[in-house]
Amino acid sequence: MTTDPAALTAALIRCPSVTPADAGALDVIAAPLAEAGFTLTWVERGGIRNLLARWGDKGHPRTFGFNGHTDVVPIGNEGDWTHAPFGADVEDGVMYGRGACDMKSGVAAFVAAAIDFVQETPPDGALLIAITGDEEGDALDGTIALLDHMKDQGEAMSVCLVGEPTCPNEMGEMLKIGRRGSMSAWFTVTGVQGHSAYPHRARNPLPAMARLMDQLASHELDQGTEHFDPSTLAVVTIDTGNPANNVIPATCTSCVNIRFNDAHTGAALADWLRAEAAKVADAFDVTIELEIKISGESFITQPGPFSDIVVNAVQAETNRTPELSTSGGTSDARFIQAHCPVIECGLVGQSMHQVDEHVSVAHIHQLKGIYTRVLRDWFA
């Protein structure tokens, strides 16, 4: 009897696991894995519950890994949904609910594939399934905690497949072999408050901030690299909190977000931001404080035997040759890339995080087929 990934998806959707709540989602996955002979380890850190399931010998030199998450983003206004956000309703072959696309269906597909694979054709090797409840949140105590635990216990994946949705429009059109780095920087410019009729008695932080933001936004970071589009910098907010039109404020704040390719490191970009801020501070006789958060570095899994296996599996199941892409935002692959080669392969992501998030039931079964082929060919 095969494992039905659509039924497993529905059971997961019915768990209202809005990050960081688990709401029983991991137990839905744990039960069939344990029944299939997987050894379960619960890794809890910072109030987050994570699951590591292993089939085969610990520390086996040929260990295939899957990674995913069962936490979801909030539903927003429930009244805007035409289907219950946690109902897993199916209409015209489409299943609705928060997490249907991102990414309870992906988790269900690789869990179902792994269970059936080890029972039907036990491989010479091991499988590790790492599932977190902290991907949509701060992501500090989820996949990172699992990787830390694995390191402490001498566990390691040879390669890892992440089940995030990767296709923009059609099933099978794209894989992710890397991701851009992401970082944000918050600037606080401080001058001297004063009357707007006597600007010479004040030091206005606004012209300094305007100059700095213009210089940063106008700067060409690069023209792209072999596998990446050009890096981008976006000014996302400039604020003074000043309600008066006759007062020059003392401070002004702003934030920029940078998505960068493998021509840069977060540290090098941070140095550049500090240098630009220092030049503007000197020119306008103000002080500029800077806070920087690097969410992840850019990375690339070079095309090769692993990506060939995934591409061939996608071709066989969808009749499409997927593009090897590095586009999009960040995912937990940014943590795994320091551990082993990692590729992301999943469903169409058009509805993720939206009202009436949904997934084609046929695509869930198709994705299980892709993962099954990947396992069969990788262990062959």
Side-chain angles (χ1 to χ4, degrees):
M1 182 176 179
T2 60
T3 306
D4 184 352
L8 199 54
T9 299
L12 285 171
I13 290 173
R14 294 186 184 110
C15 299
S17 53
V18 177
T19 194
D22 173 57
L26 287 174
D27 292 318
V28 168
I29 295 299
L33 285 169
E35 187 176 347
F38 283 77
T39 300
L40 307 184
T41 301
W42 296 97
V43 179
E44 298 190 25
R45 193 171 82 181
I48 302 296
R49 196 174 184 223
N50 307 290
L51 175 62
L52 187 66
R54 175 174 48 81
W55 187 94
D57 294 335
K58 177 180 177 181
H60 197 287
R62 283 183 58 77
T63 298
F64 190 97
F66 283 110
N67 171 261
H69 65 91
T70 53
D71 61 321
V72 298
V73 297
I75 64 172
N77 183 359
E78 186 171 358
D80 292 337
W81 288 68
T82 59
H83 296 268
F86 301 108
D89 297 337
V90 177
E91 183 176 309
D92 297 328
V94 175
M95 185 181 298
Y96 292 84
R98 179 57 85 225
C101 172
D102 184 15
M103 61 164 290
K104 289 182 174 181
S105 49
V107 170
F110 67 62
V111 166
I115 288 173
D116 291 354
F117 179 70
V118 300
Q119 292 182 323
E120 295 169 5
T121 54
D124 178 17
L127 266 71
L128 274 179
I129 296 178
I131 306 176
T132 177
D134 185 35
E135 197 271 349
E136 300 290 7
D138 293 335
L140 299 175
D141 297 306
T143 294
I144 294 177
L146 286 166
L147 292 170
D148 288 345
H149 173 83
M150 290 167 59
K151 183 178 180 180
D152 292 342
Q153 298 299 314
E155 295 264 31
M157 299 180 287
S158 305
V159 295
C160 184
L161 197 59
V162 178
E164 289 279 3
T166 55
C167 300
N169 301 297
E170 302 291 339
M171 187 68 179
E173 66 180 321
M174 185 176 289
L175 306 177
K176 305 287 186 180
I177 59 169
R179 291 279 188 165
R180 296 178 297 174
S182 176
M183 63 187 294
S184 294
W186 293 264
F187 298 85
T188 300
V189 180
T190 302
V192 176
Q193 182 174 319
H195 198 298
S196 60
Y198 306 97
H200 58 286
R201 296 176 180 172
R203 284 203 301 276
N204 194 338
L206 287 168
M209 183 66 82
R211 177 72 61 82
L212 177 59
M213 292 299 102
D214 177 62
Q215 289 183 350
L216 296 180
S218 300
H219 179 74
E220 182 182 76
L221 290 167
D222 56 71
Q223 295 184 338
T225 64
E226 180 182 2
H227 294 290
F228 288 88
D229 291 334
S231 302
T232 62
L233 181 149
V235 179
V236 296
T237 185
I238 300 176
D239 303 289
T240 65
N242 178 20
N245 62 5
N246 61 348
V247 175
I248 293 172
T251 62
C252 180
T253 63
S254 70
C255 180
V256 303
N257 181 260
I258 303 176
R259 302 300 172 113
F260 58 95
N261 60 34
D262 55 349
H264 309 274
T265 64
L269 288 169
D271 288 343
W272 169 67
L273 292 173
R274 293 188 187 97
E276 293 299 307
K279 288 188 288 187
V280 171
D282 289 342
F284 286 83
D285 193 22
V286 295
T287 62
I288 302 180
E289 296 178 357
L290 183 55
E291 178 184 349
I292 295 173
K293 178 181 179 182
I294 301 172
S295 301
E297 298 287 346
S298 66
F299 73 92
I300 182 75
T301 296
Q302 290 293 336
F306 181 32
S307 62
D308 289 345
I309 287 172
V310 182
V311 167
N312 290 338
V314 172
Q315 287 175 326
E317 293 293 325
T318 70
N319 292 318
R320 287 190 179 89
T321 300
E323 174 189 353
L324 302 182
S325 174
T326 59
S327 62
T330 60
S331 73
D332 277 2
R334 69 189 189 273
F335 307 127
I336 300 168
Q337 58 91 17
H339 175 90
C340 69
V342 57
I343 291 174
E344 298 174 64
C345 173
L347 297 166
V348 176
Q350 283 185 335
S351 71
M352 56 184 174
H353 294 200
Q354 294 184 359
V355 168
D356 280 339
E357 182 178 349
H358 58 272
V359 62
S360 163
V361 174
H363 286 175
I364 302 174
H365 289 280
Q366 200 170 31
L367 187 61
K368 179 191 174 184
I370 291 171
Y371 293 153
T372 300
R373 285 182 180 273
V374 169
L375 287 171
R376 183 195 67 195
D377 294 348
W378 192 81
F379 280 107

